[in-house]
Amino acid sequence: MHKPATSTDFADVGDDAAIRASIHNAAPPPTTAPDMDILRAGRRAPVQMPAQLFGEAWPLLIDTAEGTGAPVDYAAIGLLAACASLIGGKRRVKPYDTTPWSEPCILWAGAVGDPSAKKSPALEAIIAPLRAIEADHAADHQTRMLAYYADCERAKVEKQSWQKNLEAAHKEGMGTPSMPAAALEPDEPQRRRTILMDTTPEAAGAILAGNPIGTMHFRDELAGWLTSFDRYSPGGREFWLEAYGGRPFVIDRKGSKAALTIPFNGVSVLGGIQPEKMSAALLEAADDGLVARFLWAWPDPMPFRRPRQLADVAQLEGIYRRLDSLEFGHDGYGNRPAVVIPLAPDAADIFDHFRQANEEGISDAGSLYKSFCGKMDGAVLRLSLVAELLAWAIRGGPEPETISARTVAAAAEWVDDYAKPMALRVYGDASLPLVERNAAILARFILKTGLRRINKQEIKRTYKSQLPTMRTAQPLDEAIEYLCEAGWLFSAGERAGGTAGRPKGDYAVNPAVFGDA
């Protein structure tokens, strides 16, 4: 159990006896009740994750979450993104026969929570089987590389033979013989990649050129990715925006004989982010709609509970392998297009109702949430495609030829009852004024650590890693002033011995914060 900090605790980290003396000389705390709403800082409460979208996979998600001590939300959105990445460019979903509109199987999902929320273990448990699948493809890739080297040597021999014929034809005054196709070196086969982690757009493009299925970009900390798009080369943000659409993409590379052609620029994204880092990551340059493409999960942390049973990892891997085994279609001309799965007629009716309701009530919403809602029509289709094929991967049998009304209804419910409230929770917290965000962060830190006294210098020196947004004087001063006005803190800055001079930056925490009488 955590032991609340006392004034003597500062003796281990501070070297100023006057600080400790001034704390002992502090006046009794006021009787003002602290404003406990500071902890929420206007933040919306989380909502419960609906289970219908996941069907028979829900018990597996419960076991996975319990095994990592995390809320089921993290495992659930991780499963959605992982399944989408394995389906990738092989399937698309089409709402109506009367329109060319179809959506690719690409999902971006963000897990929001403090470092202690166990989001990383939950996500890692969900994506672990993807690594095993990639390892299997690596063994097959070695065989293809051996064939590639043999073809390259054969091409050299064919080219040498053609060059001899060319010289002979020139001497005899004959026409130039055509170079045989066998003299051209083949393209090097690319290894199947199920997960990318830290990669530049150019490197990702090269991988996608050889992975027409697409892949997943996994980041344990999304904030670093969201703020680094143009770190290596201009146009990074634009590349990732395109990677959500799954369309063909061409990269012209300086010094290269040919452009790099990507048949399916599709990358599902999954990662975690801390609430304190959301503002910079989400609101800077947010008007291009990139962050509005994310489906967010931000549940409350789970209290400790002993896992009831071990998650069936073999079942999870079996689901992934079946989705990975899906084949492309054939168009009769040697091309391998995506197989388009339409909505069933009654499913299209449900989708119509969702689209109409989705347009209502957002005209006065903030720009970020409005952009998010504008992408939910496509998100419902993508979620429906994932859920339908997830159910097929579990139950077996023939692949579904349509998306059922039940699946579309579950996807629409999930978006309305979960994705939208979570988006409001994320965007609202990120858009708060800085002083309110910092005050809430400091208040949660005080409550978590049990500190009964704080000192400005000790906060900046000892706790800077826990309070990264308050490492300099001004934001910390403003947060402390805000908490003083809210009844959380009161000045305890008298100098030792009653001597004159500037008071120390010492503050006592209102005991009522901890429920004391």
Side-chain angles (χ1 to χ4, degrees), residues 150-499:
D151 290 340
C152 287
E153 293 302 315
R154 170 65 185 275
K156 291 178 183 178
V157 173
E158 292 285 350
K159 189 172 184 179
Q160 290 171 356
S161 177
W162 169 72
Q163 288 172 337
K164 291 179 180 178
N165 293 335
L166 181 62
E167 291 175 2
H170 178 70
K171 290 178 181 178
E172 297 175 8
M174 300 176 63
T176 302
S178 299
M179 187 173 73
L184 294 173
E185 287 193 4
D187 293 331
E188 181 177 343
Q190 292 289 327
R191 178 165 62 93
R192 172 78 168 103
R193 298 293 303 275
T194 57
I195 298 178
L196 307 180
M197 297 192 71
D198 187 9
T199 183
T200 64
E202 187 172 71
I207 292 170
L208 288 168
N211 281 264
I213 295 171
T215 187
M216 169 186 280
H217 187 64
F218 176 72
R219 294 296 294 264
D220 187 58
E221 184 50 72
L222 280 172
W225 178 67
L226 290 168
T227 56
S228 68
F229 292 125
D230 295 320
R231 181 180 302 165
Y232 304 106
S233 60
R237 194 176 184 92
E238 288 74 15
F239 172 84
W240 289 110
L241 283 166
E242 293 285 345
Y244 183 81
R247 290 174 287 273
F249 195 77
V250 177
I251 300 177
D252 293 306
R253 296 180 294 181
K254 185 177 181 180
S256 178
K257 294 181 179 180
L260 182 67
T261 301
I262 303 171
F264 176 72
N265 185 25
V267 182
S268 289
V269 177
L270 175 65
I273 189 169
Q274 298 176 30
E276 289 77 10
K277 298 181 179 180
M278 287 193 302
S279 178
L282 269 60
L283 299 182
E284 290 182 7
D287 56 348
D288 60 5
L290 187 142
V291 298
R293 287 161 164 77
F294 275 88
L295 301 171
W296 299 101
W298 188 4
D300 282 336
M302 283 288 293
F304 173 77
R305 180 169 58 186
R306 185 172 180 173
R308 293 172 295 181
Q309 62 183 18
L310 187 66
D312 191 346
V313 179
Q315 182 190 16
L316 180 61
E317 185 171 331
I319 291 170
Y320 289 172
R321 289 189 180 278
R322 188 153 204 206
L323 294 175
D324 189 54
S325 70
L326 289 167
E327 297 287 345
F328 282 94
H330 299 278
D331 63 359
Y333 299 97
N335 300 316
R336 302 172 63 205
V339 175
V340 179
I341 304 180
L343 300 187
D346 52 350
D349 293 339
I350 293 173
F351 182 60
D352 282 347
H353 291 307
F354 171 81
R355 293 187 69 190
Q356 183 176 356
N358 189 46
E359 293 179 357
E360 298 173 356
I362 64 170
S363 57
D364 296 328
S367 61
L368 195 52
Y369 182 66
K370 186 181 296 185
S371 178
F372 173 84
C373 289
K375 291 171 175 55
M376 286 303 98
D377 291 350
V380 165
L381 293 176
R382 296 180 185 206
L383 289 166
S384 298
L385 179 58
V386 169
E388 194 74 41
L389 290 175
L390 171 62
W392 163 78
I394 294 173
R395 70 171 182 264
E399 183 183 341
E401 297 181 354
T402 60
I403 307 296
S404 70
R406 180 178 180 180
T407 300
V408 174
E413 176 195 33
W414 192 88
V415 167
D416 279 336
D417 295 348
Y418 187 83
K420 288 183 177 181
M422 281 296 180
L424 288 170
R425 177 168 161 86
V426 168
Y427 300 153
D429 194 79
S431 60
L432 279 174
L434 179 62
V435 62
E436 294 185 34
R437 287 201 310 274
N438 284 338
I441 292 168
L442 183 56
R444 295 185 202 114
F445 175 76
I446 290 170
L447 198 62
K448 179 180 178 180
T449 57
L451 287 172
R452 301 290 178 143
R453 304 284 192 273
I454 66 171
N455 173 268
K456 288 182 181 180
Q457 293 303 320
E458 294 299 337
I459 288 289
K460 288 187 288 185
R461 180 169 54 191
T462 307
Y463 302 112
K464 59 184 179 181
S465 61
Q466 294 100 315
L467 303 168
T469 60
M470 285 169 275
R471 293 180 179 177
T472 57
Q474 182 175 345
L476 178 59
D477 289 347
E478 291 176 348
I480 288 175
E481 182 180 355
Y482 195 94
L483 289 183
C484 287
E485 293 175 356
W488 272 69
L489 301 175
F490 68 97
S491 178
E494 297 86 347
R495 292 182 62 83
T499 58

Side-chain angles (χ1 to χ4, degrees), residues 68-71 74 113-121 274-275 300-303 448:
T68 59
Y74 296 147
D114 295 320
S116 60
K118 303 294 193 302
K119 57 186 183 298
S120 296
Q274 298 176 30
D300 282 336
M302 283 288 293
K448 179 180 178 180

